[in-house]
Amino acid sequence: LPSPPSSFQGQQQASPNNLLGHNFVSSAPPAAEVQTPHMMEAMVLPVASMGSGILDSDPLSNNNADHFHSISGGVSSSAVNFSVRTGDNVNKSVLTSLKLMRDVLARHHEGLKVQVKPRAWDDEGNCIEALLVCKWGGWLTEAGHKQSQMMGRHFLRRIFGVNELSRIQKSQYVAQTNNERRVIHTAVEFSAAMLGEQFDEKRCIVNENLLGKTLGAKEHMAATADKIKRMFNAKDPAEIESYMNLPGISNIVNSPVVPDDCRTPRGAMQAMRELIEALCQSFSHSSMVKLYREESMALLRQRWTNLLNSFYQKKTDTFDTTKIPDIFDYVSYDVCYNQRAFSNQFDMYPLFTLAEALSTFISDGEFGLTPSEKRVSATLF
């Protein structure tokens, strides 16, 4: 797990008839199984407004720190959120989160960057609240390396019909990518496997247009997202019935994980919530468990707890469907690399299968839930 992507999604800028000509250009396939930029966010004032000494306390240990990061095969991310306003006392939770961010910064993670985004102002125009964002990551996992290499070899055989390119063909090859680190890394692995030799990252041509410009379909996609959210939170029987014949819904509501007396889209979300709660209860209490890429148990617990809290809003009794792909990414990642973090009594398979069905439906429905809605999105790009 997870299985390799079944198709290439990059743009191919050369036809089969001229692939052997000059300046063969291929776009990198989608980043396979990757660690996308981890992100932790903190709602804080500028540090000067909070007083000195906050970040100068003792380093965190695994026993007293709640770490966070996000891993996925897409562009998802989650957050640690807290707020500090003028006049507030810095409580223990806020202090712990600030220490946590300090600890992350001290580790010098690959691709590490920090952003401060103003969020609120007083009547005089002074910033009283800001979002502090710490991101890192973008490297490939072991599965990501293998999948990228596999796709490169497959592309070579499928397009060229050979197992090796000539020296001239290799010298003319370049790869176009967008500027995402995980995509560039995928392009390097893909190209090296295709060419059968080392491929320098400097040979990647960054093309911002490959990021995918969906601005023209923004309103249409937002309407689709709202429809999906209403669907998976619907309680009215008549409204629920109107959704039941949509492609992919039967795979979700008929999952063995969903209770027989609640085979509805919302019932599937509730089943997902209960499975994640059970997973959070199954975490090992040992701080000595070694996890993938030196992740701590505290970090793993924090990212799952944060995702659960953002997935289900207790005050409004609603589910956030945009978190479903994140859940599937987390499950896929931890099944592959962090099984030792969970007790032997917890079976990850039910959570994986339900998350896979839900994520497939929501990802496929991003541009429309029916063929006609998808065609509208396509014409707007």
Side-chain angles (χ1 to χ4, degrees):
L1 293 173
S3 59
S6 58
S7 63
F8 297 103
Q9 300 175 8
Q11 299 175 356
Q12 183 179 315
Q13 299 183 344
S15 67
N17 295 327
N18 66 4
L19 286 174
L20 301 183
H22 295 289
N23 194 30
F24 167 60
V25 178
S26 72
S27 295
E33 168 63 16
V34 301
Q35 266 193 299
T36 54
H38 311 322
M39 180 166 71
M40 56 189 303
E41 299 181 351
M43 296 294 293
V44 299
L45 284 172
V47 173
S49 300
M50 292 186 291
S52 60
I54 290 180
L55 302 181
D56 298 327
S57 51
D58 294 335
L60 297 174
S61 69
N62 289 338
N63 295 324
N64 62 11
D66 286 330
H67 288 223
F68 166 82
H69 76 189
S70 161
I71 37 71
S72 73
V75 294
S76 57
S77 59
S78 301
V80 174
N81 294 301
F82 59 89
S83 62
V84 182
R85 291 181 177 272
T86 302
D88 285 354
N89 293 322
V90 181
N91 59 37
K92 184 177 180 181
S93 174
V94 173
L95 184 60
T96 298
S97 295
L98 288 171
K99 291 178 181 178
L100 162 61
M101 188 168 288
R102 184 276 317 273
D103 189 52
V104 168
L105 293 173
R107 291 176 180 268
H108 302 288
H109 290 288
E110 182 180 0
L112 181 66
K113 63 180 178 180
V114 177
Q115 300 170 328
V116 179
K117 303 177 181 180
R119 293 289 293 267
W121 296 262
D122 61 20
D123 295 337
E124 297 179 356
N126 298 313
C127 178
I128 60 172
E129 185 177 282
L131 183 67
L132 179 61
V133 183
C134 179
K135 298 180 180 180
W136 70 98
W139 54 79
L140 297 180
T141 63
E142 275 71 13
H145 287 290
K146 296 296 183 183
Q147 289 178 4
S148 301
Q149 294 164 7
M150 180 191 67
M151 288 189 288
R153 290 189 290 268
H154 173 73
F155 189 78
L156 172 65
R157 293 190 296 268
R158 179 183 176 187
I159 301 301
F160 290 97
V162 298
N163 290 321
E164 185 176 0
L165 296 177
S166 69
R167 181 177 58 82
I168 295 177
Q169 292 167 343
K170 292 179 180 180
S171 66
Q172 294 173 341
Y173 175 91
V174 294
Q176 289 194 14
T177 79
N178 62 33
N179 61 3
E180 297 285 349
R181 292 174 59 85
R182 62 184 182 277
V183 180
I184 295 174
H185 290 172
T186 300
V188 169
E189 291 287 343
F190 173 91
S191 301
M194 179 178 171
L195 300 178
E197 63 184 26
Q198 291 294 320
F199 187 79
D200 194 326
E201 185 177 315
K202 295 179 181 178
R203 293 175 66 183
C204 289
I205 300 175
V206 175
N207 184 345
E208 297 296 340
N209 292 326
L210 296 181
L211 282 171
K213 296 182 178 180
T214 60
L215 185 61
K218 183 177 180 180
E219 292 184 3
H220 180 68
M221 293 172 63
T224 301
D226 289 340
K227 184 177 180 179
I228 291 175
K229 183 176 181 178
R230 291 196 306 272
M231 179 192 314
F232 283 95
N233 285 284
K235 298 179 181 179
D236 179 67
E239 183 180 2
I240 292 172
E241 187 63 29
S242 68
Y243 300 131
M244 297 305 288
N245 291 326
L246 287 172
I249 285 294
S250 61
N251 293 335
I252 295 172
V253 299
N254 292 323
S255 169
V257 180
V258 180
D260 290 334
D261 60 348
C262 195
R263 293 196 177 277
T264 65
R266 182 178 171 85
M269 301 294 272
Q270 181 60 37
M272 173 76 79
R273 174 195 171 194
E274 293 173 357
L275 285 170
I276 298 176
E277 288 175 342
L279 178 143
C280 290
Q281 294 296 321
S282 73
F283 293 144
S284 170
H285 295 290
S286 172
S287 61
M288 303 302 293
V289 175
K290 292 185 178 180
L291 303 179
Y292 186 64
R293 285 193 176 270
E294 299 183 355
E295 181 180 16
S296 67
M297 280 302 305
L299 187 81
L300 182 143
R301 282 194 295 269
Q302 185 67 51
R303 62 177 168 86
W304 270 108
T305 300
N306 287 341
L307 185 56
L308 175 60
N309 291 338
S310 59
F311 172 56
Y312 176 68
Q313 286 79 49
K314 189 173 182 180
K315 290 183 178 180
T316 58
D317 190 30
T318 57
F319 294 95
D320 185 351
T321 52
T322 65
K323 301 301 179 183
I324 291 294
D326 294 353
I327 294 173
F328 182 52
D329 288 339
Y330 276 32
V331 176
S332 301
Y333 177 83
D334 285 328
V335 162
C336 283
Y337 303 108
N338 287 328
Q339 288 197 38
R340 68 186 66 183
F342 310 101
S343 66
N344 295 331
Q345 287 74 31
F346 186 80
D347 183 3
M348 294 283 284
Y349 185 72
L351 177 57
F352 177 86
T353 55
L354 182 57
E356 181 181 38
L358 284 165
S359 182
T360 298
F361 177 84
I362 290 174
S363 298
D364 289 350
E366 181 180 4
F367 304 107
L369 298 176
T370 64
S372 61
E373 290 178 355
K374 293 179 187 292
R375 282 193 290 270
V376 171
S377 293
T379 60
L380 293 173
F381 289 157

